[in-house]
Each structure stands twice: as C-alpha cells, then as structure tokens.
Amino acid sequence: MPARNPALPKVADETIRAVKNTVLGRLYGRAPLPNLVGLDAPLNSIYALLSQTALNSEGNSALILGPRGSGKTSLVHRALSMLSQTHTSKANYHVVHLNGFVHTTDRIALRDIARQLLIKQDLEHVLIGSFADAFTYILNLLRSDDESTAIPPVIFVLEEFDLLAQHPKQSLLYTLFDIAQSQQTPIAVLGVTARIDVLDLLEKRVKSRFSHRQIYVHNMASVEEFVQIAREALCIDPSHTVSEAFAQQFNMRIEDILTSRTVSQHIEDIFEFGKDVRQLLRAFSPAVSQLTTVNPLLNASTVESQLAQTNTSAKMQIISSISLLELCLIIAMRSLMQLGSTKYNFEMVYDEYKTFMSRHMMAVSAGGAMKIYKKPVALKAFETLVELEIARPALMSVGEGSSVHGRNDLLAGTAAGIRAPKEYRMVQLMLEPSQVVELVSGRIDIPAVIRRWAQQ
C-alpha cells in the first residue's frame, strides 16, 4: 500500500473487535449506515408522514415501492430513529413491525401485534370473534386507566406487503386501512414492497380505504453514489475503543482500496449489472473478517478477489466447464443474433456451426484436435444447453399457446408447436454477447480460430 501511511501504533484486541463489529454490522444490514446516500427526498416524505401521526394524531397510510436492495427498510428505520430523537418529550407512540414472510396468517399477525404492544392479557376469548373486533379490543387496551383518554398513536411497518396482501379476505389490511382512514384511532400504516403492481393485489374494499400515497425509492443513479455507500459502510469514527490515529489510518486504507483501478472496475461492473447495494457491501465482509492485531487494515488483494468472484454470476460458474462443442453452439447462436435472428432452432444453429467449421477446418485442425460433430451428437449437446437454461424455448405470441407446465426442455415445446420435431422448436440464447466473450477468454483449451469467432 502507499507509503504515505505512517507506522501504525500497537492495536489492541478490543479495538479490532470494535471495528469488526461496527463494520460487519453495516455490511450485513444489522446496523444502519452513518448517512443514507441519495435518499433525502423519500426520507423526508416518510418522516413527515410519521410526524403527522406521532405529533398530530393523524391517520396515514402509504406504500414504499422500490427494487430490492434500494434502501426501503433503511429509510423506514432512519425515519423512526429521527422521530425518536426529535420528539422524545413531545410524543408517546408505539411501533409495530410485521413481515409477510413471518406473519403468514392474520391470526399470527394479531398475536404478534399484541406482543409488540406489551399486552399480557390472555386473548384467546377475543380471537374467537371477528378480526376487526379483536384488533379494536387490543388498541383499546393501550388506554390508561381513564377511559376518556385517547389511544396513543401506533405506527405499523408492513415488510413484504405483497405477501400480506395474499392472505384470505385481507382482513388485516382492511382493518388497518379502515382505522387509518376513519381517524378514530391515530395509526400510520407503511407498506414496504418490491412489487410495483402491488395495488392490483388488493381487494376493492381494501383499495377504497387506502390513501393511494406511494413513495418511490430508486436505485443509485451513478457509480459515484454507489462507491459512496461502500465508503459510508467501511469508514469508522474514533471512539473510546478506537483511537483517532488508528481511525485515520483505517479510513486512508479504505480510500486507497476504493480508488484503485481494479476495485473501481469491479464496483462499476456490479453497478452496471444490478445496482444491488447488498451485493456490493457483502463483497467486503471476508476482508473485514480477517482483521487481526497483526494485520489491522483491510487487505487489498482479498477485496479484489472477492469482488471478482462476486461479479461472476452463478450461471457463468456453471457453464465455465461446458464442452467445446457446446461452446461452439453458443457462439453459433450468438452469430445468428448478430445477423438479426431473435429466435432460432437447432437446425439453424447446426447449419451456422457446420458452415463456419467447414470454412475454417484447416486452421482449426492446426490449432488443436477438432472435428465437425455429426448432427445427433450436436443435438444432444444442444439439449444440454437448454437443460442448463443457457437457451430457453422462445415465448410464443398471444394466441399461439404457452409452454407446457413451465418445462424448459425441447420435449415440452409449446401448445401450438408441440407436434414439431424438437430440432425445429425455436429457442433464445440467455447470454449477453459480452458474457460469451468472457466465457471464451476464461478458457485456455480453445483453438485460436474459435476464439476469434467468438470475438467477431
């Protein structure tokens, strides 16, 4: 690493443990980042909505929509934290967290609502009645001894809202939205989901009681914001266990790693591929886990190797060991795509493969043992590519039928083309041209002519 870093003072075990706990907590989402990057607008909207409920006893409801890993849950937690810090002495409110993965029925959700509201009363006799009556009974238990006092505000955070919308009759959502709309009890309902069409899952009576307020959270708009998120997660502040000198050295090493050419390229690849912040942060966790008193700073080579492995998709790892014939068929499909064919069958692919091999047979033989495989052998290799989902049966247009039971082999076909021989069933390549080039460049057993064919 750069020589500008002065010699490190002795680092205690307590300091290393504190650094690892802090940074790993951020990387795995157990602890919030010091600052949320590029999310000021949705954060202000969520905070304003919660403030109206906690301070002014208003009923509110909203949906927070955005792709996975865009920061929806972090926004809610940050808004709740801001609310508790700003209005500690001005408001008395409760927060209830529900999750569609955990609370699979309305009854399970109702029991957990009572648990989170610290209601210890036996509710068995209450659960016999309707869901709305049981829910109202639980809220009334929040009153103080004087029945004339108002019920304190309650904030409901519904993670995986789309799964909760799939409950029979949607009693939970109907009751929450109905109470929020009626303004009888001050509650705020925040639904968090990655499904953009979640409103279509709601019944008409539920949708009519929803405020239709939607807060959209988008992925990072630039690589610079993407890198800044990693910087926020990795950099540390001085504390009673971390000296200012060590924190400065540690942050300087982080800056050197993030600005290095190799790491910058890997981060840009992750950004271009999916913009998944969690994927980026978790790539740094092995290097953080290896911190010791002997090596208290992040190891750049460990970070680079982990980022390189992260950039390699599971599909690319699976197909990295396919046979040379299967690889040639992939290149042939890529060539048909370049000629303008969006769908192709085995006969078209084999004809493209045979044409190329016949034209370059002399050069291929000189570069290594190679031959033109007969059609039955090539068909078997083609079926293997379909089984690996490297090629998938092409979608038929509306009216032509649909795939049979979702099978992804040549024996399934489509309703309209089920009688067609499997050699003539249309497929599509599920790899980008750049992935084909990457697949060939990572192999050393490829003849030079085949390598040039892939790079054309």
Side-chain angles (χ1 to χ4, degrees), residues 120-366:
K120 300 180 180 179
Q121 184 174 341
D122 186 12
L123 301 175
E124 291 301 327
H125 67 287
V126 179
L127 296 176
I128 298 176
S130 68
F131 183 89
D133 292 341
F135 187 79
T136 303
Y137 177 81
I138 291 175
L139 290 181
N140 287 330
L141 292 177
L142 296 176
R143 297 180 188 271
S144 59
D145 296 336
D146 185 2
E147 294 186 358
S148 63
T149 59
I151 299 175
V154 183
I155 298 172
F156 290 89
V157 180
L158 310 181
E159 297 278 356
E160 305 299 335
F161 181 87
D162 53 299
L163 297 181
L164 295 173
Q166 296 177 22
H167 290 186
K169 299 182 180 179
Q170 299 181 353
S171 300
L172 172 64
L173 300 182
Y174 174 79
T175 304
L176 289 174
F177 288 151
D178 186 54
I179 294 176
Q181 183 192 49
S182 65
Q183 302 289 339
Q184 296 176 355
T185 303
I187 70 171
V189 183
L190 282 180
V192 182
T193 179
R195 288 193 59 169
I196 200 71
D197 62 340
V198 68
L199 286 180
D200 296 335
L201 302 177
L202 299 180
E203 296 179 359
K204 186 176 181 180
R205 64 179 188 132
V206 179
K207 192 182 298 184
S208 66
R209 283 158 176 79
F210 174 53
S211 67
H212 289 267
R213 182 186 289 114
Q214 301 178 49
I215 301 173
Y216 292 94
V217 182
H218 303 284
N219 280 323
M220 296 295 101
S222 64
V223 181
E224 290 73 19
E225 291 182 341
F226 209 55
V227 174
Q228 183 59 31
I229 293 178
R231 187 176 288 109
E232 292 285 343
L234 294 171
C235 291
I236 60 176
D237 295 323
S239 65
H240 66 282
T241 56
V242 180
S243 66
E244 184 175 353
F246 177 72
Q248 183 179 2
Q249 295 268 346
F250 190 88
N251 295 340
M252 289 172 63
R253 174 62 64 88
I254 296 297
E255 193 63 30
D256 291 337
I257 291 176
L258 292 179
T259 55
S260 67
R261 181 176 180 180
T262 304
V263 173
S264 297
Q265 183 60 50
H266 286 316
I267 293 178
E268 186 174 348
D269 292 341
I270 296 176
F271 176 80
E272 295 293 341
F273 185 78
K275 299 181 175 64
D276 192 339
V277 174
R278 292 173 296 186
Q279 181 184 6
L280 170 66
L281 296 184
R282 289 174 183 173
F284 290 92
S285 57
V288 177
S289 301
Q290 296 174 10
L291 295 178
T292 62
T293 55
V294 179
N295 298 302
L297 303 180
L298 256 63
N299 186 288
S301 60
T302 303
V303 173
E304 292 173 2
S305 61
Q306 189 64 30
L307 284 171
Q309 184 177 352
T310 301
N311 286 341
T312 304
S313 65
K315 180 182 292 186
M316 294 298 293
Q317 293 179 5
I318 291 174
I319 66 178
S320 60
S321 59
I322 61 176
S323 67
L324 187 57
L325 173 58
E326 293 165 349
L327 181 59
C328 288
L329 294 179
I330 290 176
I331 300 175
M333 284 186 274
R334 205 275 318 256
S335 297
L336 291 173
M337 290 172 56
Q338 292 177 330
L339 294 175
S341 300
T342 58
K343 303 175 184 179
Y344 25 82
N345 55 35
F346 168 74
E347 290 290 340
M348 298 168 62
V349 174
Y350 184 76
D351 183 65
E352 180 71 17
Y353 158 74
K354 188 176 180 180
T355 300
F356 175 84
M357 294 299 294
S358 300
R359 188 167 60 246
H360 299 86
M361 195 62 192
M362 295 294 295
V364 171
S365 300

Side-chain angles (χ1 to χ4, degrees), residues 372-384:
I372 301 178
Y373 289 90
K374 295 186 178 180
K375 187 173 293 185
V377 179
L379 178 59
K380 185 63 178 178
F382 190 75
E383 290 177 336
T384 301

